[in-house]
Amino acid sequence: MKTIFEKSCGVDGVCLEDCKLGEYIPKELLREDIIGLPQLSELEIMRHYKDLSDRNFCIEKGFYPLGSCTMKYNPKVNEYLASLENFCNLHPYQKDSDSQGALELMYKLQESLKILTGMDAVTLQPAAGAHGELTGMMIIKKYFETKGEFNRKKVIVPDSAHGTNSASAKMCGFDIVEVKSNKKGQVDIDSLKSLLDEDVAAIMMTNPNTLGIFEENVLEISKLLHSNGSLLYYDGANFNAIMGWTNPRLMGFDVVHINLHKTFSTPHGGGGPGAGPVCVVEKLKEFLPVPVITYENGIYKRNYDVANSIGKVRGFYGNFGILVRAYAYILMMGNNLKLASADAVLNANYIKEKLKGVYELPFDEPCMHEFVLSGEKQHHQGVNTLGIAKRLMDSNYHPPTVYFPLIVHEAIMIEPTESERKQVLDGFIETMLKIAHEIEECPEEVLKSPKTTPIKKVNETLAARKPDLVFKE
Ligand SMILES: *Cc1c(COP(=O)(O)O)cnc(C)c1O
């Protein structure tokens, strides 16, 4: 045994010398060959990761107008509060009586989300928006099963929807029915009417939708669905557009998810952790995942006694550290959340008005917090949307979301958020106009971008299929 460890230990690496593994692990499971891990000192490892972090792009480095993702600035006070010892060292199995502060925070976050969404009850468990969708669809399924309406197998999803909507519904066993958008980029009411029958369980909608356009017929839609005995699911990814101005309850929705990592300034990207709380109307409360956080007689509790709960959807109680950050943001902003939405909408409209004409704007409507251009004209001149995105990187901009939503050719989806001042928006506008001009003059040159990034143009197919992740000295 010992010789294997001796062999695998380099001069600088850490060695588990006197470890008596053989006493605890069956012989046939013990490794016989040298493990072959790189042998590096702490300093070398630190340099490696620092180098990687320097290559990374983040909002602290520059403008990040990634549509649909709400890459707003995450205030650093959130990090400070989440790292307080009594929050981050609390064990999830600690008794309720020992965890009153943490439970209070969760309860109060639930209450804040109830006010913001207009809903009656909340679970904080889901770990992301897509996970919230799955949770919400499980609730809807159980609701109809409890009523004995097993026929309700269909879920209507607009053709502009995020791919997770249909995926989540499908995972719950629903059949997806697509409803078309009309010329204004909104759900087409006549098409919707033709799809409604007694088998429809729900519609999943995003409002403002993924084109950044407010669905002006949403009240008619909710009336149509409800009189059909169906429910309405609200994908809250675009909640940053409406905070304090309206809410999904007023629009007639029954189930809502909120992406805390989008709207409520918690870290985002790189796979998480995030949080996708789900808020429901009174009649769906009995289906929420357990435990729900309650407050009675001055005591906060994790309550497992929920009549028709769909069960647990996540280990423990969700990503608690993310909940701390989101609650800190909500407390800090207070009524100014309304102004954040207003600024997000103003910023998006400002950029839209300056770029339309040079780039095609397929749905020329006042937008909410984001809008979608088409790079069709530039594509004909020799540079597609991907090329424009790469060119932007040379001016230290994170590219916008591209090729989504699917109903816009060569889509360029821009969401500036409220975090940026006018000078930054002007700089971005100027760069977008410059790129359009370069494409007219000399498209070949534009196609050489990115030139300034640590990694230049990659073969994206190969990079996805055969990623090279091996450490190299
Ligand atoms: C981001 C997003 C989702 C999915 O949310 P995640 O938190 O990334 O899982 C769903 N719908 C829309 C419109 C989104 O922008």
Side-chain angles (χ1 to χ4, degrees):
M1 250 328 289
K2 204 168 172 193
T3 51
I4 295 166
F5 273 95
E6 275 166 359
K7 263 194 272 173
S8 66
C9 289
V11 273
D12 295 316
V14 176
C15 183
L16 304 167
E17 243 178 313
D18 266 337
C19 184
K20 293 179 184 156
L21 283 182
E23 287 177 20
Y24 305 107
I25 298 175
K27 214 167 170 193
E28 64 273 17
L29 296 180
L30 286 172
R31 196 190 306 276
E32 292 191 348
D33 294 327
I34 293 172
I35 187 167
L37 291 173
Q39 297 296 319
L40 300 162
S41 67
E42 185 171 319
L43 174 59
E44 286 171 296
I45 290 169
M46 287 313 294
R47 282 194 183 139
H48 171 68
Y49 284 111
K50 181 70 177 75
D51 179 43
L52 286 184
S53 78
D54 286 346
R55 293 185 193 191
N56 194 24
F57 190 90
C58 54
I59 187 153
E60 286 81 1
K61 243 179 177 175
F63 187 41
Y64 208 137
L66 189 65
S68 215
C69 296
T70 313
M71 304 304 286
K72 63 170 71 179
Y73 175 65
N74 302 333
K76 295 306 164 239
V77 67
N78 295 356
E79 297 303 315
Y80 165 71
L81 293 166
S83 66
L84 288 179
E85 207 183 344
N86 291 346
F87 282 139
C88 65
N89 287 344
L90 186 64
H91 194 281
Y93 279 150
Q94 200 91 15
K95 284 189 278 186
D96 285 351
S97 54
D98 297 336
S99 316
Q100 286 296 295
L103 294 176
E104 180 179 354
L105 183 141
M106 292 168 81
Y107 183 82
K108 289 186 168 166
L109 175 59
Q110 289 178 177
E111 292 301 298
S112 310
L113 294 177
K114 274 160 67 174
I115 295 170
L116 285 161
T117 59
M119 294 286 161
D120 298 317
V122 181
T123 173
L124 302 171
Q125 250 180 63
H131 195 195
E133 292 169 25
L134 182 69
T135 306
M137 295 320 285
M138 286 165 76
I139 290 171
I140 289 173
K141 191 171 179 208
K142 187 118 189 205
Y143 167 78
F144 285 118
E145 283 174 3
T146 308
K147 286 178 69 172
E149 296 181 31
F150 294 94
N151 56 306
R152 294 205 185 255
K153 283 269 175 220
K154 291 189 202 166
V155 168
I156 300 176
V157 177
D159 58 3
S160 61
H162 196 265
T164 51
N165 289 184
S166 40
S168 305
K170 187 82 193 169
M171 276 183 80
C172 283
F174 289 111
D175 299 323
I176 313 304
V177 185
E178 190 175 270
V179 60
K180 295 260 167 278
S181 301
N182 62 21
K183 282 204 193 91
K184 291 172 106 180
Q186 303 177 27
V187 169
D188 186 73
I189 297 286
D190 289 331
S191 312
L192 179 64
K193 282 182 184 160
S194 73
L195 298 174
L196 281 179
D197 61 28
E198 63 200 16
D199 296 338
V200 172
I203 187 169
M204 295 180 88
M205 280 177 73
T206 314
N207 196 21
N209 63 29
T210 63
L211 294 162
I213 295 170
F214 194 87
E215 297 276 354
E216 58 194 16
N217 297 319
V218 66
L219 291 179
E220 189 183 348
I221 294 173
S222 65
K223 248 192 220 143
L224 280 171
L225 269 286
H226 282 150
S227 58
N228 191 51
S230 316
L231 296 177
L232 288 93
Y233 183 95
Y234 182 86
D235 175 336
N238 291 345
F239 198 62
N240 207 44
I242 61 161
M243 282 186 292
W245 296 91
T246 179
N247 69 47
R249 181 58 168 276
L250 293 172
M251 299 177 206
F253 288 90
D254 304 288
V255 188
V256 174
H257 86 250
I258 297 294
N259 309 56
L260 295 188
H261 45 285
K262 293 182 180 172
T263 313
F264 295 100
S265 86
T266 76
H268 193 171
V278 169
C279 317
V280 296
V281 293
E282 188 68 33
K283 69 176 173 189
L284 299 176
K285 197 173 162 179
E286 61 183 297
F287 304 103
L288 285 176
V290 285
V292 292
I293 312 299
T294 57
Y295 180 60
E296 266 170 52
N297 305 324
I299 295 175
Y300 295 96
K301 268 175 65 174
R302 280 165 279 203
N303 179 17
Y304 285 86
D305 190 19
V306 178
N308 284 315
S309 171
I310 56 165
K312 276 182 79 63
V313 295
R314 180 103 194 1
F316 300 115
Y317 323 106
N319 286 325
F320 179 69
I322 295 300
L323 307 180
V324 177
R325 290 169 173 89
Y327 188 56
Y329 176 74
I330 290 173
L331 281 189
M332 187 169 59
M333 293 292 283
N335 287 338
N336 286 337
L337 286 171
K338 192 170 174 179
L339 295 182
S341 285
D343 282 349
V345 171
L346 180 64
N347 282 355
N349 277 285
Y350 180 68
I351 302 179
K352 172 175 69 75
E353 288 305 308
K354 296 279 184 178
L355 294 184
K356 80 176 193 195
V358 175
Y359 293 90
E360 282 174 29
L361 178 66
F363 299 99
D364 192 356
E365 300 272 322
C367 69
M368 296 295 285
H369 67 309
E370 66 190 3
F371 63 97
V372 182
L373 297 171
S374 166
E376 192 82 327
K377 187 166 120 197
Q378 286 71 23
H379 186 33
H380 287 304
Q381 293 167 343
V383 179
N384 63 8
T385 285
L386 191 66
I388 296 168
K390 302 264 185 218
R391 185 61 157 183
L392 276 168
M393 293 165 82
D394 277 340
S395 302
N396 194 41
Y397 294 114
H398 192 287
T401 293
V402 294
Y403 300 105
F404 175 74
L406 305 177
I407 53 172
V408 172
H409 291 292
E410 297 292 324
I412 306 173
M413 183 194 224
I414 297 171
E415 180 183 7
T417 83
E418 71 279 14
S419 303
E420 305 291 348
R421 55 198 287 189
K422 184 168 172 290
Q423 285 84 338
V424 175
L425 307 183
D426 284 335
F428 176 75
I429 290 162
E430 206 178 289
T431 306
M432 283 291 287
L433 297 176
K434 188 188 84 193
I435 292 173
H437 184 68
E438 286 171 350
I439 294 171
E440 278 172 20
E441 299 284 306
C442 189
E444 310 81 52
E445 199 49 37
V446 176
L447 288 172
K448 290 182 189 155
S449 282
K451 295 174 189 164
T452 59
T453 50
I455 301 209
K456 306 293 177 296
K457 206 161 209 159
V458 290
N459 180 332
E460 301 200 345
T461 314
L462 216 61
R465 302 244 165 89
K466 291 190 176 169
D468 180 5
L469 304 173
V470 177
F471 175 87
K472 291 193 186 93
E473 288 200 47

